[in-house]
Amino acid sequence: MGAGWRRFTEGLKQHAPLVSGGLSPTPNARNTIMLKEAGELAAQLKGVVQAIKAQRESNENSVTLIARLLGSNLPHVYEDPSSPSASHSVLVGGALDTESVVRTIRDAGARVDADVVAPLAQWLSLYDTLVSKNRELENLRLEVDSRRRTVADLTVKEAAARAKLQRATDAKQEARLDDVVRTLQHKTDKLNAALAEFAKFEEELHTRLVGLIRDAAYVKVHLGAAQGTLGAALASVSKQVEAVPIPEVAVAAGPSLSGAARAHGKAPAAASPRSSMNTPVSGGADPSNPFVAQQAPGTPTQYPGMHRNTVSSAV
């Protein structure tokens, strides 16, 4: 009988009590229970690892977009200059090193991949390996039980052959008994070898499962490190951006609204100095400014989350 067929038929018998013959399955309960509980943790951990990867990618994408914006030019302020001069561009982020900002967030992502994602992925890979090993052990268990069943049946046959031989001495009966005894001894030797292999395999799997579960106690350390690393990187980016003063708006030589007004015979209205956020430098409230809360006259302009600073452009 082939090993595959032996395992298949034994599995059917163990799931059908009426034909099981009262044979108790060889135990592998402790490994099965440990793998079941480890599997519940693994399912959650897979989701967390995916979330950490998405968090890292989201941080990198958002900071890259922010850096691109901060490296873009501010719009020029066009006035009627008394003496034309070459215009210059001013960046939204001023003197901010946008490459350093992006590098900060990417370096943090690389550390999270190496120090957090890789160890957790290794734990999950080991769990999958032990699940596969337990399937192999289950196959070996079915083979052991099949051989136990064979030995049990041959033991019954041997007892019956001896009983017949005691009732009537016969050469054929003696030959039949000798054949049963030889077959029983051969099958018993195979059973003992299979039992030894199973016991060794079961113990090794149990030892590796114990190590897997003990390693799981350090999952919290890796998860804390991930949030700490990503959070520190975002805080560093914030400090780098806040440390750079708000840039002055560039006044560009070029087409002038006041010049166009004179060309049509109209006198230009007097312009009041304004900051880059369209707030009068004098501190007066400007209802059209969506960025700044209305303030009493004479109060310095304040932008939420930004340094106090009012920047004016010369008329």
Side-chain angles (χ1 to χ4, degrees):
M1 182 187 298
W5 179 252
R6 180 190 298 277
R7 295 165 184 169
F8 175 74
T9 55
E10 181 61 29
L12 292 178
K13 291 176 182 178
Q14 292 192 6
H15 286 85
L18 294 179
V19 296
S20 65
L23 182 73
S24 298
T26 301
N28 182 35
R30 62 177 184 175
N31 291 329
T32 302
I33 294 174
M34 290 166 69
L35 273 173
K36 179 178 179 297
E37 294 185 2
E40 294 170 356
L41 175 64
Q44 296 185 66
L45 188 56
K46 287 178 182 178
V48 170
V49 169
Q50 292 301 318
I52 291 174
K53 290 180 178 179
Q55 182 182 11
R56 178 211 63 203
E57 184 176 349
S58 176
N59 287 355
E60 184 173 328
N61 289 340
S62 62
V63 170
T64 300
L65 289 173
I66 290 171
R68 186 181 303 166
L69 171 63
L70 294 175
S72 300
N73 293 330
L74 276 170
H76 291 84
V77 173
Y78 290 94
E79 299 288 355
D80 186 14
S82 57
S83 57
S85 59
S87 62
H88 65 283
S89 297
V90 175
L91 301 181
V92 175
L96 177 67
D97 185 351
T98 55
E99 291 185 0
S100 175
V101 167
V102 173
R103 186 166 54 251
T104 296
I105 208 70
R106 286 180 177 172
D107 288 348
R111 289 197 301 274
V112 167
D113 282 344
D115 300 338
V116 177
V117 174
L120 295 181
Q122 185 177 8
W123 189 93
L124 290 170
S125 177
L126 178 57
Y127 164 77
D128 290 339
T129 297
L130 296 185
V131 168
S132 178
K133 290 295 182 182
N134 191 58
R135 284 196 290 266
E136 293 180 24
L137 182 62
E138 279 295 298
N139 287 334
L140 183 56
R141 183 187 67 79
L142 290 174
E143 182 176 344
V144 166
D145 287 346
S146 177
R147 293 190 180 281
R148 286 173 58 206
R149 194 182 301 278
T150 298
V151 168
D153 291 343
L154 287 172
T155 300
V156 172
K157 287 183 179 181
E158 181 195 25
R162 288 185 184 280
K164 287 182 180 180
L165 189 61
Q166 288 177 357
R167 288 194 299 270
T169 302
D170 183 274
K172 290 184 177 180
Q173 293 292 340
E174 289 181 355
R176 188 175 295 113
L177 176 60
D178 290 341
D179 183 59
V180 170
V181 169
R182 284 195 302 271
T183 302
L184 176 59
Q185 184 60 52
H186 174 69
K187 295 297 183 180
T188 300
D189 291 342
K190 284 197 168 184
L191 171 61
N192 290 336
L195 280 170
E197 183 181 359
F198 174 83
K200 181 181 179 181
F201 199 158
E202 194 274 343
E203 184 62 32
E204 289 176 351
L205 179 59
H206 181 264
T207 300
R208 296 183 70 180
L209 273 169
V210 170
L212 180 77
I213 292 172
R214 286 177 176 168
D215 287 345
Y218 293 90
V219 166
K220 65 179 290 294
V221 177
H222 293 298
L223 299 184
Q227 299 309 307
T229 300
L230 294 175
L234 290 176
S236 175
V237 168
S238 178
K239 288 181 180 179
Q240 291 180 60
V241 174
E242 291 180 351
V244 177
I246 297 175
E248 292 188 8
V249 176
V251 178
S256 162
L257 292 180
S258 58
R262 289 194 185 94
H264 288 81
K266 297 180 180 180
S272 61
R274 293 177 178 269
S275 73
S276 61
M277 298 299 280
N278 198 32
T279 302
V281 175
S282 61
D286 182 358
S288 66
N289 186 356
F291 295 99
V292 184
Q294 302 306 304
Q295 307 171 68
T299 304
T301 302
Q302 298 182 35
Y303 307 113
M306 306 174 76
H307 296 292
R308 293 184 178 181
N309 187 11
T310 53
V311 183
S312 63
S313 57
V315 178

